[in-house]
Amino acid sequence: MSPRPERPVSTIMSWPVATIDHDATLEEAAEALAADSIGALVVLREGDLAGIISERDVVVHLAAGADPSHLLTGEAMSGDLVIAQADDSILAAARAMVEADVRHLPVLRDRLIAGMVSVRDVVAVLSDAVSDEDVVVVPSGARVVVRQD
């Protein structure tokens, strides 16, 4: 049985979480993302959560002409973190991702890193929770969920 949207986000989070030090270069971050086939790394400063760096962050800095061997991960990361607590619902995590326009959420248990959840993880749960008759495909190709409360 697949998880339901009201279940804790901890039921779908990934562990272990890939991390990188804030003093690593953008080149090292790109290599780590590619080596692990992942979309984001948690950035640590002295062992504490400092931010997150995603594929999108790397591409934006490279497109702007940054030298990946000199730009530090701590300079390129998103420091304004959006996180989920391990007992938050999957639906709450999905809403937080939409509101913040992010694709990855570090999951904390208290103040410790417990895991990582991606938009792919939450979409799989949400799409399983919706039956075909509850979905309308509009001309743009977008799928719209119709709630009948």
Side-chain angles (χ1 to χ4, degrees), residues 11 17 25 34 42 57 67 73-74 76 79 85 90 93 103 108 113 118 121 132 137 146:
T11 60
V17 175
T25 64
V42 168
D57 296 324
D67 180 347
T73 301
Q85 289 293 327
I90 295 167
R103 298 179 195 175
L108 304 183
I113 301 168
S118 73
D121 300 326
D132 287 338
V137 179
V146 179

Side-chain angles (χ1 to χ4, degrees), residues 15-98:
W15 178 262
V17 175
T19 63
I20 193 162
D21 190 77
H22 77 289
D23 285 334
T25 64
L26 191 65
E27 182 174 42
E28 291 169 316
E31 289 169 356
L33 289 165
D36 290 340
S37 298
I38 55 174
L41 299 163
V42 168
V43 181
L44 302 177
R45 180 178 289 123
E46 297 177 10
D48 292 326
L49 180 62
I52 190 167
I53 189 156
S54 69
E55 295 168 314
R56 189 183 331 180
D57 296 324
V58 172
V59 169
V60 165
H61 283 86
L62 291 177
D67 180 347
S69 62
H70 288 89
L71 183 64
L72 299 181
T73 301
E75 298 167 325
M77 72 180 187
S78 300
D80 191 15
L81 274 175
V82 179
I83 57 99
Q85 289 293 327
D87 59 353
D88 288 349
S89 72
I90 295 167
L91 185 57
R95 286 182 176 145
M97 294 170 97
V98 168

